[in-house]
């Protein structure tokens, strides 16, 4: 199994309906492909973790990377994993992060990712939320 983590920049300001449609398609495709993960959006940035069978993660990320709704995807981590960090989520999401501003977003994200045992992975998500909250 593989986990890939990336950050990217939205082409246009991200609206709730943009996110809804991304999540609807993602959850359907990811469930079929055995992919789980977490997507956080704040300001014009996305942070997403994808995990699952290596071929499925590669194919999904290739598709995502080609999506014109965002650009400049930078891979932060791409590693073999023994077990999933997001086992229950075909694509989890923290809606408050979209609105941005205020410490409650960072707190909500911290609670969301608290079960993640890998401190580096957890830190990417909490750090992202803190940065957005401060923006
Ligand atoms: C930030 C972002 C994250 C995405 N995450 C996923 C994902 O986890 N899984 C997925 O299948 N598609 C994801 N997509 C959508 C894909 O880029 C693509 O539009 C979709 O997979 C096409 O699915 P379809 O061929 O079933 O219409 C994401 C798109 C964006 C912009």
């Amino acid at each position: 199994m593989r986990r890939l983590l990336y950050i990217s920049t939205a082409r246009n300001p991200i609206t709730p309906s943009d996110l809804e449609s991304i999540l609807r398609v993602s959850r359907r495709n990811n469930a079929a492909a055995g992919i789980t993960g977490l997507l956080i959006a704040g300001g014009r940035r996305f942070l997403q973790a994808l995990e699952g069978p290596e071929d499925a993660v590669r194919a999904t990320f290739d598709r995502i990377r080609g999506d014109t709704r965002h650009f400049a995807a930078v891979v932060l981590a791409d590693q073999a994993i023994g077990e999933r960090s997001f086992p229950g989520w075909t694509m989890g999401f923290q809606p408050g992060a979209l609105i941005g501003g205020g410490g409650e977003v960072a707190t909500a994200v911290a609670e969301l990712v608290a079960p993640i045992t890998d401190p580096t992975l957890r830190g990417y998500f909490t750090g992202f939320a803190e940065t957005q909250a401060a923006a």
Side-chain angles (χ1 to χ4, degrees):
M1 267 202 310
R2 197 110 194 139
R3 181 169 55 241
L4 188 147
L5 183 73
Y6 75 88
I7 194 160
S8 67
T9 304
R11 179 84 48 198
N12 300 302
I14 307 158
T15 67
S17 78
D18 295 337
L19 274 168
E20 238 170 74
S21 62
I22 289 171
L23 288 168
R24 193 174 52 244
V25 171
S26 298
R27 286 173 177 151
R28 186 192 64 215
N29 290 340
N30 295 355
I35 296 218
T36 52
L38 177 63
L39 174 66
I40 290 194
R44 286 178 81 136
R45 306 250 183 232
F46 293 108
L47 175 67
Q48 187 175 32
L50 299 163
E51 61 188 14
E54 176 157 6
D55 290 355
V57 170
R58 296 253 171 269
T60 301
F61 184 57
D62 282 350
R63 213 166 57 237
I64 294 172
R65 200 165 32 191
D67 194 314
T68 54
R69 288 173 286 190
H70 65 167
F71 63 99
V74 175
V75 174
L76 302 173
D78 181 5
Q79 61 199 145
I81 50 166
E83 59 178 35
R84 295 176 191 259
S85 286
F86 310 96
W89 297 333
T90 50
M91 191 44 63
F93 175 61
Q94 171 45 248
L98 178 60
I99 296 140
E104 46 319 336
V105 172
T107 308
V109 170
E111 278 172 22
L112 191 71
V113 300
I116 300 172
T117 49
D118 178 340
T120 308
L121 180 63
R122 203 171 55 239
Y124 275 119
F125 283 97
T126 53
F128 182 89
E130 280 162 18
T131 305
Q132 296 305 331

